[in-house]
Amino acid sequence: MKTIKKILKKTFLYKPLLGIKNGIIHTFYPFGYIRNYVLFPIAGFLRINHIPPFYNQYKYIDDIRDKYKGKRCFIIATGPSLRMQDVERLENEITIGMNSFYRIYDKTQFRPTFYVTLDPDVQSALWKNYHGNVGGLAKEMVFMNSIVKERAKGVNYLPYCYQNHWFKIFTKDFDYAKNLKFTKDLLFGIYDKYTITNAAIDLAIHLGCKEIYLIGVDCNYSGPTQYFVNPGSGTHDMNQYEAYCTQKAMMTGYRFMEQETKKIGVKVYNATRGGMLEEFERIDFDEVIARKMMNQES
C-alpha cells in the first residue's frame, strides 16, 4: 500500500484522487457534513417540537431544564492548577466534572453533580475502566456524546454537532469563529466549540445557572505538565505545532462563548489559579467560596 501511494504521489492524478477521497470522508463520515449540516438540525427541530420518537429518547434533557434556576455552578476542568482541597470545598455546590476528572476518584470521596465527556476516545476509556457502568461518576447525571453507537449503563446522551472547523483545526488559519454556533436549548443539541469546557457551560445554562465559575482551565498546552492527573488512554501527547493549534482554537471558542453568554445575561467567571485563559473575567476562587460562607453566616 505504501509503495502504491509513493507511485501515485509522483503522478498528476494524486491530488485529484486525494481531493475525492477527502470529499467522500468529509461528506459521509460520522463526523461529516451530512450528519452535521443536514441531519443534526432536522433532528433538533423535531426534538424541540416534541415529535416522537426523536423527543422521547431525549426527554430527560427537558426534565432538567432550569432545575437550578438562578443558582451558581462550578465547572471543574483538569488543568495542573487544580487543587484537591479546592475540589473538596465544592462538595455542597452545583458542579460539573469532565473528561479525565474521574481519575482522582481513588483519592477523594468528592463526586460532581454532573459529569460530561463528548470525546469518543475518552468515552471508550471510561467504559473500559468502569466496565460499561459509569453512572457513579456523578451524583445526578452523566452525559456523553450520542454519536457513538455503544450504550453504557447510567449514561444520558447529548445530541452533538461538529462544525466544518473540526476538519481544519490543524491548518495555519484559525479564524473559524463564523462557523461557531450556540443554542441555549440543550434539547436541540450542542454545537462543538473546540473544547469540552464550552459544552459544560452549555449544560450549566440549560440547568438555569446564572453564575458559572471555571476552575482548572489553564489552557496551556506548551510544556510537559498539561493536566492535574494523568489523562490516560483518551488523549495523546501533542507536538509543539498541535499544541499551538489546539490552544489557538480553544481561545477562539472561549471568545465566542463569552460573547454569547453576555447576550443571554449569564455571567461566566474564570476562577482558575493562573493559566492563560483571559477571555472570561477573572475572579479569586477563595473569595467566591468565602462570599457564600459569609452569606450563610449572616
Side-chain angles (χ1 to χ4, degrees):
M1 183 63 72
K2 288 183 178 179
T3 305
I4 296 173
K5 190 174 182 180
K6 285 181 180 178
I7 295 171
L8 281 173
K9 276 188 174 181
K10 295 178 181 179
T11 71
F12 71 93
L13 291 173
Y14 180 71
K15 284 189 177 180
L17 288 174
L18 184 63
I20 292 171
K21 174 194 169 186
N22 289 338
I24 291 172
I25 291 173
H26 291 175
T27 300
F28 298 104
Y29 189 59
F31 296 94
Y33 296 125
I34 289 180
R35 181 190 181 277
N36 291 297
Y37 287 90
V38 180
L39 301 181
F40 177 83
I42 292 174
F45 173 81
L46 295 172
R47 282 191 296 270
I48 62 176
N49 285 283
H50 294 195
I51 307 297
F54 296 90
Y55 172 72
N56 297 352
Q57 61 181 323
Y58 291 104
K59 184 179 179 299
Y60 50 79
I61 298 176
D62 237 0
D63 294 339
I64 61 169
R65 187 190 303 276
D66 290 332
K67 183 176 182 178
Y68 293 107
K69 188 173 183 178
K71 303 291 185 179
R72 71 180 190 175
C73 173
F74 289 80
I75 293 173
I76 310 171
T78 55
S81 67
L82 191 64
R83 299 178 183 177
M84 185 70 76
Q85 58 266 39
D86 289 343
V87 171
E88 293 179 339
R89 291 166 76 187
L90 298 175
E91 181 62 41
N92 298 317
E93 300 282 353
I94 301 158
T95 52
I96 301 175
M98 64 181 78
N99 282 359
S100 61
F101 182 72
Y102 71 95
R103 291 183 173 272
I104 74 166
Y105 283 9
D106 61 342
K107 301 178 180 68
T108 179
Q109 296 298 311
F110 175 86
R111 297 295 182 269
T113 317
F114 300 93
Y115 205 105
V116 58
T117 179
L118 298 170
D119 185 321
D121 292 331
V122 177
Q123 291 180 193
S124 296
L126 276 170
W127 286 325
K128 290 176 183 176
N129 279 280
Y130 283 83
H131 307 291
N133 188 1
V134 297
L137 288 172
K139 293 177 183 176
E140 294 193 17
M141 299 177 82
V142 177
F143 294 97
M144 289 188 178
N145 193 335
S146 65
I147 198 170
V148 295
K149 293 181 180 179
E150 301 173 71
R151 288 294 181 264
K153 295 177 183 178
V155 175
N156 301 280
Y157 289 88
L158 292 175
Y160 198 68
C161 178
Y162 290 90
Q163 291 294 291
N164 186 27
H165 65 256
W166 188 83
F167 299 110
K168 301 175 181 177
I169 189 169
F170 292 132
T171 67
K172 293 181 179 179
D173 185 2
F174 305 104
D175 187 16
Y176 294 112
K178 63 183 180 182
N179 289 328
L180 295 176
K181 293 184 180 180
F182 167 76
T183 171
K184 63 179 182 179
D185 191 342
L186 212 65
L187 187 61
F188 182 87
I190 291 182
Y191 286 100
D192 177 57
K193 294 178 285 293
Y194 293 122
T195 168
I196 182 66
T197 307
N198 280 332
I201 294 174
D202 285 334
L203 173 58
I205 291 170
H206 183 80
L207 291 168
C209 299
K210 290 296 182 182
E211 288 185 6
I212 301 170
Y213 299 90
L214 311 178
I215 65 170
V217 187
D218 291 65
C219 291
N220 186 359
Y221 289 90
S222 60
T225 307
Q226 301 172 4
Y227 301 97
F228 173 58
V229 289
N230 182 355
S233 59
T235 61
H236 72 282
D237 292 329
M238 296 183 190
N239 60 42
Q240 188 175 3
Y241 179 63
E242 287 178 324
Y244 172 71
C245 291
T246 298
Q247 196 164 309
K248 195 79 172 180
M250 287 174 66
M251 295 306 183
T252 298
Y254 284 131
R255 279 193 296 274
F256 172 81
M257 202 62 183
E258 195 273 341
Q259 294 167 2
E260 294 300 313
T261 51
K262 269 186 176 179
K263 291 177 185 176
I264 60 173
V266 173
K267 190 64 181 177
V268 182
Y269 298 95
N270 181 15
T272 300
R273 297 184 186 278
M276 299 182 69
L277 178 61
E278 304 297 342
E279 273 60 31
F280 297 107
E281 182 181 340
R282 288 274 188 176
I283 196 166
D284 183 82
F285 176 79
D286 297 309
E287 179 186 318
V288 174
I289 298 299
R291 186 191 306 162
K292 184 174 184 179
M293 293 177 65
M294 290 175 63
N295 290 338
Q296 288 174 339
E297 290 174 358
S298 62

